[in-house]
Each structure stands twice: as structure tokens, then as C-alpha cells.
Amino acid sequence: MPKPRNLFVLIDANALIHRAYHAIPHLTTKDGTPVNACYGFTMTLLSALKELNPTYIAAAFDLPQPTFRHKEFKNYKAQRKKADDELIAQIPLTKKILQALNIPIYEQAGLEADDIIGITTQSIKQQKIPVIIVTGDMDALQLVNDNTKVFTLRRGLKDTIIYNPKTVKQRYGFPPKHLIDYKALRGDPSDNIPGVPGIGEKTATTLIKKFKTIEELYSFLEKNPDTDRVKPRVKNLLTEYKDAAFLSKKLVTIITDQPLKDFKIPDCIVSEYDQQKAVDLFQKLEFKSLIPRLPKSHQPIKETLFDSNVRAGSPRPSAIKGKKYITISTIDELKNLIPKLKNGFTFDTETSALDLYDHTTLVGISISIKPNEAYYLPLKHRTGDPCGRPRAGARPAPTTGNLPFAKTIALLKPIFADHKIPKTGHNLKFDIQAMALAGIQVNGIEFDTMLASYLIQPSSTSSHKLDHLAFNYLGHHMIPITALIGEGKDQISFEQVPIEPASIYSCEDADITLILKEKLNTELKENKLHEIFEKIEMPLVPILTHMEQSGIILDQKYLVKFNQKITTKINQLTKKIHQSAGQDFNIASTQQLAGILFDQLNLDRAKVKKTKTGLSTAAAELEKLKLDHPIISLIQQFRLLTKLK
């Protein structure tokens, strides 16, 4: 990691929180705590830390008390509805994240977050330290100068841009310092700042380019009342709303000349933080994907939480501390293991592909009978180079170390077929079908951790995948499959993975599933769901598995005829739609359809929502226009039939 730059990063926390809340759909932890705003804020924060790599950092927050702006103008932000309770509840969570990362927080009664940032930029400028403001609020652009830049979001949370004096001028046509004059004329509906009614962006831009400030503009008008440099209508508006213009300028101007108590630049030096504390907090908030993005720290963290075997860029899993993972490499070792399985076990399968009915092979089986201990049975691994790839120009051959396939299957069949021996797994439907590839029937299935998770949290926005459950329940970051097989065009099959890393990976799956079983079983009982799980959910597993294995019978002749009937109707509807529109166009193209409806047929634009690409033609929006034109009903029928086809 490069050395930190001599740079001060200021975080406009409230602006980022609000932006994230509206950019990310409803997201909760398994206990129902809303975290979408907090998650989005953290994403942006970590991205900024990585990209900017500052020497100093601080975050600014609003306080609920009124500011001078409320006193000067009672309608300041009056049109804004009260923030959602779910958003407000997440502000303390973002503060906890900043505290966990040892980032100082500044807030002061009577000041908004951007005022705090404005004041601190002046203090920092005196020390000749470059500043970057991280915000989702374009008001901060007025602070841009040779020493201060703004890192902001264009769309969503990933499309970012850094503004300097040149890029601000490119966007607006004038330097950053004149943005306050521009807003004094144009106003700002988001803050209920009036500006000069009747003057929009285009006129305001033209006036600022000509006169730079509203003081110069009004001075010119007083000295030249008959001027033709300003249109008569605009001149009348400026005269009528002069007081509003100067009030608006005062309201939009970010404070830079007031004292900020307790602010000291040395307190903001990026320093060591307790990474374990941050990991624990991220685990609680279920921010699993963000843990690898935490800044590096010299503070040790639990190896079971984030071992070197799963760090980004790690080519191969290594042995996991505190775990006893054993590869069974001989039939005698397998015979010694089998008696230990009589009281029940957890198992997991590894296959050459996820599509079990496309020449897929059962590559290996992992088994766990007690926590932190598991066994791997390699069956069909094939020779490759050290990275697990087949030798060029050669078909991979079975590697040494595999168990004798026929003898192994013969020994396993009675154990897996025994109804009296309870078996546990994660997504057992897959594993049962994978075992069937080798002719092994699985009976006695007792517990499926994926099903248990779903039953406990049926509406959870979190994944029910094993690695997510391991992180959320155990704080354990599992080995990713990509650490073994790679990604993209270089991805290999699991059968090409050498036995040693494959064993560690698969044993971990079986081991974690067994540990999770106890956690989830307790929750099922606490939530009085155990009876439903045992009597309804689990008995359905073999039934659904059999259905997937057997498939269904299709009446192909009927479907062919039905398709022909639908196609004829679609063609008829297409002609009617084109006639109604007065021209041919691609009905399936939302952009072309919007052009026909709102430009060609002049349907009411105000009735439908706007999207990033223009006016929406979604089903719910078309329903609002149903009575306005007969083409809408035809389009609805067309969509229904094309979807059915």
C-alpha cells in the first residue's frame, strides 16, 4: 500500500447518509435492523479511503438544533418532510463505524455539516495542507479552490468524480466562488431557498457569466436603468425580488469564518485502529462483503474471522488454525472412519460442475462428526499444473491420491442408505442428487441448514448461502471457491483442483454446516418453528429432490399449437399498435415506446415517473395512462402475450 499523501479528507456524513438511504433498497440485518443507509455510507467511506489515501481525516455531522438560516428565513427547508425514522436510526450506526475506524467526528449546534467543513477548510488551508471534501451535496462546490477539491457522487454510489476549479468551470461556465451568486438567482428547491422567481438555470448562468456577482449585477442595473444587456422581463424580476436574491445568497453561503471548538489538525492524523473492533461491528451489521475492504492495520485480528487463507489475492487456502481437517487417502483409513458415522454426521459434496445432469462427476465428499473436525474423501481429482490447470494439449488424467472409486462407493452405500443414521447438510437437494451420480442413495436426512435459515428469516434481505450464515452467526469468513478455481476465462473445474486445498475447502463446508446446525436448531426452538421444520420442511426435501431428478412430462404437440396461436395474436397486435401510433417502431424498446407515447401521441408526461433514461413505460406507469389512449391497452396485451410466449 502506498504511503499516505499529505492530504486532509473531510467527510460530509449527513449528505452521504441521505444519498445512500435513497440509493440502496431496503436492507436489514437478520434481527430486522435497517442498515441500507449505513451500508452505502460505509461503501463510499472505504472507497474514498482507498482511492485518496489521506494523511488526515475527519467527519462532520448536522445537529437537530436550528441554525442561523432558520432564524433568517423561517421557511428554510420547510418543505422537506420529516426524515424517515429508519434513516434517523442509522445515523448513530454510522458514527459507530467512524469511531471503530478511529475517525474523529465534529458537530456543533447552530452549524450544518457543510459549515463545519467550510470552517475547517480555512484552518487547514493556512497550514498549506491540500483538502478533499467527500460529499453527496453539490453545495460544497462553492468551497473548491486551488487548495480544496470535492470528491462527489454522480449517480448511485459508485460513479464518482473529483471537482477542481477547472472542472467546476467546465460544468457551470464560471468559477466555484460564483456558485453562491448563481444560487442566489436560481434558488434551491431542495432547501426551499427562493432565489428570484422566474429566473431558471439558463438565465442565472447567463447573468453570472456577464456580471460575476449579484452585487455587481444590481450595481450595474442601478447605474444603467435603460440597459439592453438585461432583458426587460428579467430586469423587472430582479428589481421586484432584490431582497429575496440577497437573502438567498446569505442562506446558500457556507460559513467559513466562525470558530469551531475542539478542532485541532493533529487530532485528525490517520492513525492505527482496532481492526478486531471494526470486524466485530461489521459482523453485527452483516457487512460481510466490506470486511476485506477495511484499511490495513497492525492490530491482530482473530484468525478464525479473517485468516490469511481468505485474504484478497490469496491463491490457495492454507490450513486453518484450530481445525482438524484430514484427507482420507486409503481404504483402510476409510474403514476406520465408517464406524464413527453410526451416530450421524454432516456431509458435503464437491462436483465437477453445478449442472448435475450435464456430464457432471462426483469429485469428492467431506464428512464431519464433531465441531472443528472433518474428513475429505477424494474420488475424481485429475492431474493439472500447480495452479490446478490441465497440462496443455493433454486430457487431464486421474491424479494420485484418489480413493479407489468402486470400493469407496461400496463402503459408503450402506451408511448413506441407512434411515437410522441422521444426516445433515446445507442445501441437501443438491448433495443428494450429487451422491446419486455415483449410485449412492441418501436416506435419513435430518437437518438442512439452508432450509432452517430460510424458515427463521423468510423475508431476510441477507443471503441464506453457507458463507453468509457462517459470517452472520459465527463471525467466520469462509474460503471463497474462487480461491481454488479462479474466475472468468481462467476458471477451472473443481476436479482440476489439487487434493490438499480441495480437502481444506470441502472440510470447512462440512464442519461449518455442523456448527451452524446447533445454532439454527436453537433458534428454531426459540421461535417455535421446530415442529414446522421437522414435520413439513424436511419431509419435503426427498420429494422435491425426486421431482428434480425425474423431471416432468410436457405435452409438446399442445405447446406447439399454443405457440402458433400466441404468435398469430402477437402479430395482429403489432399491426394495430403501429397503426395506432402512425408508424412502425420496436414495441419492446422502452425508449422507442416512450418516444411514441409522449412525443408522437403527446400523452400526459406528468402522470408517469422519470427514470435515469427518461420517462418510464413500466407496467404500473402505463396503467395510469390506460384511459388516455387505446394504444395503452394494446401494448399491455402485447406484453402479456410476448411474456407468455
Side-chain angles (χ1 to χ4, degrees):
M1 187 173 182
K3 291 182 179 179
R5 298 160 55 188
N6 187 32
L7 174 68
F8 204 126
V9 166
L10 292 167
I11 308 292
D12 186 347
N14 282 82
L16 294 180
I17 293 166
H18 279 78
R19 182 69 173 262
Y21 180 75
H22 295 289
I24 295 181
H26 183 64
L27 186 69
T28 66
T29 60
K30 66 177 185 288
D31 65 1
T33 302
V35 290
N36 56 326
C38 187
Y39 182 81
F41 170 88
T42 308
M43 279 178 58
T44 304
L45 174 66
L46 295 178
S47 295
L49 284 170
K50 181 180 179 182
E51 184 173 336
L52 304 176
N53 195 25
T55 314
Y56 307 87
I57 190 167
F61 279 84
D62 293 339
L63 284 175
Q65 291 92 334
T67 67
F68 82 93
R69 297 179 178 89
H70 296 89
K71 295 173 183 176
E72 290 278 348
F73 184 52
K74 66 178 182 179
N75 289 324
Y76 179 64
K77 296 188 178 181
Q79 90 294 354
R80 288 191 184 181
K81 66 176 184 178
K82 182 180 178 293
D84 294 347
D85 290 339
E86 286 196 354
L87 187 156
I88 295 170
Q90 294 181 63
I91 293 175
L93 294 179
T94 62
K95 290 182 178 179
K96 286 184 178 180
I97 286 173
L98 290 165
Q99 289 161 353
L101 295 174
N102 210 16
I103 296 174
I105 294 169
Y106 292 95
E107 50 193 1
Q108 186 168 307
L111 297 176
E112 296 183 28
D114 48 10
D115 293 320
I116 292 172
I117 288 171
I119 294 166
T120 54
T121 56
Q122 292 305 304
S123 300
I124 298 164
K125 184 179 180 181
Q126 292 172 14
Q127 301 299 317
K128 298 182 180 180
I129 302 170
V131 176
I132 291 185
I133 301 165
V134 179
T135 181
D137 187 352
M138 300 301 282
D139 288 345
L141 293 183
Q142 65 181 269
L143 298 172
V144 171
N145 53 45
D146 291 337
N147 194 71
T148 302
K149 299 176 184 177
V150 167
F151 175 102
T152 190
L153 311 164
R154 285 191 284 203
R155 288 190 299 271
L157 296 174
K158 295 182 179 179
D159 186 7
T160 61
I161 182 173
I162 294 180
Y163 280 101
N164 56 32
K166 183 179 178 180
T167 51
V168 172
K169 189 170 183 180
Q170 286 174 345
R171 173 168 179 168
Y172 291 96
F174 44 78
K177 64 182 179 180
H178 296 320
L179 278 166
I180 55 176
D181 299 280
Y182 167 74
K183 280 203 169 186
L185 296 176
R186 186 186 71 97
D188 186 350
S190 66
D191 288 339
N192 207 35
I193 291 170
V196 176
I199 291 184
E201 292 181 14
K202 188 175 179 181
T203 303
T205 300
T206 301
L207 291 171
I208 297 305
K209 283 182 177 180
K210 285 182 181 179
F211 300 100
K212 296 183 174 60
T213 68
I214 63 171
E215 287 82 5
E216 290 183 37
L217 170 60
Y218 278 101
S219 175
F220 175 81
L221 291 177
E222 287 174 8
K223 295 174 183 177
N224 304 278
D226 299 323
T227 182
D228 59 358
R229 289 187 66 190
V230 179
K231 293 179 181 180
R233 185 189 73 86
V234 174
K235 195 189 310 179
N236 291 335
L237 291 171
L238 289 168
T239 302
E240 183 179 355
Y241 295 103
K242 179 179 179 180
D243 290 344
F246 279 92
L247 172 63
S248 297
K249 181 170 181 176
K250 188 173 184 180
L251 296 175
V252 300
T253 302
I254 293 174
I255 294 172
T256 59
D257 57 358
Q258 286 188 19
L260 180 65
K261 58 185 179 184
D262 300 329
F263 176 72
K264 295 176 183 177
I265 292 176
D267 293 344
C268 302
I269 293 174
V270 174
S271 56
E272 199 63 60
Y273 74 102
D274 188 336
Q275 193 169 11
Q276 183 62 61
K277 181 180 177 181
V279 169
D280 289 344
L281 179 59
F282 278 37
Q283 177 198 342
K284 182 179 178 181
L285 296 173
E286 299 173 21
F287 291 175
K288 175 180 180 289
S289 63
L290 299 184
I291 284 185
R293 296 172 58 183
L294 281 169
K296 287 185 178 179
S297 170
H298 297 296
Q299 294 288 334
I301 59 174
K302 298 175 188 174
E303 291 188 43
T304 54
L305 284 177
F306 195 44
D307 202 297
S308 59
N309 66 305
V310 294
R311 287 190 183 276
S314 176
R316 188 68 52 75
S318 57
I320 302 174
K321 188 176 180 180
K323 302 287 187 180
K324 184 181 178 183
Y325 293 163
I326 299 169
T327 302
I328 301 296
S329 54
T330 68
I331 288 295
D332 286 340
E333 289 174 354
L334 178 59
K335 287 179 178 178
N336 289 333
L337 174 64
I338 283 177
K340 301 176 183 178
L341 308 181
K342 300 286 185 174
N343 294 322
F345 58 90
T346 296
F347 77 102
D348 183 63
T349 59
E350 306 301 338
T351 57
S352 58
L354 292 177
D355 184 348
L356 293 173
Y357 300 99
D358 185 22
H359 307 290
T360 303
T361 302
L362 179 64
V363 178
I365 305 166
S366 56
I367 293 172
S368 179
I369 52 178
K370 62 181 180 179
N372 303 314
E373 182 177 311
Y375 303 85
Y376 183 64
L377 284 56
L379 299 172
K380 291 281 187 177
H381 287 270
R382 294 185 175 275
T383 301
D385 67 15
C387 294
R389 292 175 177 79
R391 295 189 183 99
R395 186 168 181 264
T399 189
T400 55
N402 286 321
L403 287 165
F405 190 81
K407 291 182 179 179
T408 300
I409 300 305
L411 287 169
L412 293 177
K413 274 185 175 182
I415 296 295
F416 277 91
D418 194 331
H419 290 270
K420 296 178 181 178
I421 299 177
K423 289 100 181 169
T424 295
H426 187 84
N427 189 16
L428 277 167
K429 284 201 290 97
F430 180 91
D431 294 312
I432 293 170
Q433 293 176 71
M435 297 294 278
L437 296 174
I440 297 176
Q441 182 177 354
V442 181
N443 297 318
I445 59 171
E446 179 189 52
F447 201 98
D448 188 322
T449 48
M450 188 177 77
L451 272 180
S453 171
Y454 180 79
L455 189 58
I456 292 165
Q457 293 287 329
S459 59
S460 173
T461 51
S462 299
S463 172
H464 299 287
K465 291 181 179 179
L466 185 60
D467 59 343
H468 282 76
L469 297 181
F471 177 76
N472 293 338
Y473 278 91
L474 310 174
H476 180 81
H477 204 303
M478 295 185 71
I479 302 165
I481 184 65
T482 51
L484 288 89
I485 65 173
E487 298 179 81
K489 64 180 182 179
D490 295 325
Q491 190 174 86
I492 61 173
S493 165
F494 196 88
E495 64 183 334
Q496 295 165 250
V497 176
I499 289 175
E500 182 185 356
S503 175
I504 296 167
Y505 170 83
S506 190
C507 282
E508 184 184 46
D509 281 0
D511 175 32
I512 294 300
T513 300
L514 177 61
I515 295 170
L516 279 171
K517 174 187 175 182
E518 299 307 315
K519 297 273 187 182
L520 294 168
N521 201 26
T522 299
E523 279 204 32
L524 287 172
K525 291 175 181 176
E526 289 174 350
N527 291 292
K528 299 181 180 178
L529 294 168
H530 202 264
E531 189 173 356
I532 295 173
F533 181 75
E534 286 189 339
K535 294 186 177 180
I536 297 176
E537 296 293 345
M538 288 308 300
L540 279 172
V541 172
I543 296 169
L544 294 173
T545 303
H546 180 66
M547 289 171 66
E548 289 185 10
Q549 288 173 313
S550 301
I552 60 172
I553 296 173
L554 294 178
D555 187 339
Q556 294 183 358
K557 290 182 179 179
Y558 173 80
L559 290 174
V560 168
K561 289 180 180 178
F562 189 44
N563 180 54
Q564 291 170 347
K565 183 178 179 181
I566 293 172
T567 303
T568 301
K569 182 65 175 173
I570 289 171
N571 291 336
Q572 292 170 350
L573 283 168
T574 301
K575 289 180 181 179
K576 288 182 180 179
I577 291 169
H578 288 164
Q579 288 171 358
S580 188
Q583 66 182 74
D584 291 355
F585 68 99
N586 182 0
I587 305 168
S589 167
T590 55
Q591 288 186 327
Q592 289 188 35
L593 178 58
I596 291 294
L597 297 181
F598 305 112
D599 296 331
Q600 184 76 12
L601 300 178
N602 293 317
L603 298 187
D604 191 351
R605 294 165 171 259
K607 287 187 175 182
V608 299
K609 294 179 180 178
K610 287 185 179 180
T611 67
K612 292 178 182 178
T613 56
L615 293 166
S616 174
T617 59
E621 304 308 309
L622 289 188
E623 188 65 26
K624 300 172 186 177
L625 302 169
K626 192 170 183 178
L627 300 178
D628 294 2
H629 199 285
I631 196 174
I632 303 299
S633 178
L634 296 173
I635 292 167
Q636 289 175 323
Q637 293 177 58
F638 175 87
R639 285 181 170 180
L640 178 67
L641 291 177
T642 51
K643 188 177 291 186
L644 185 59
K645 177 177 171 66

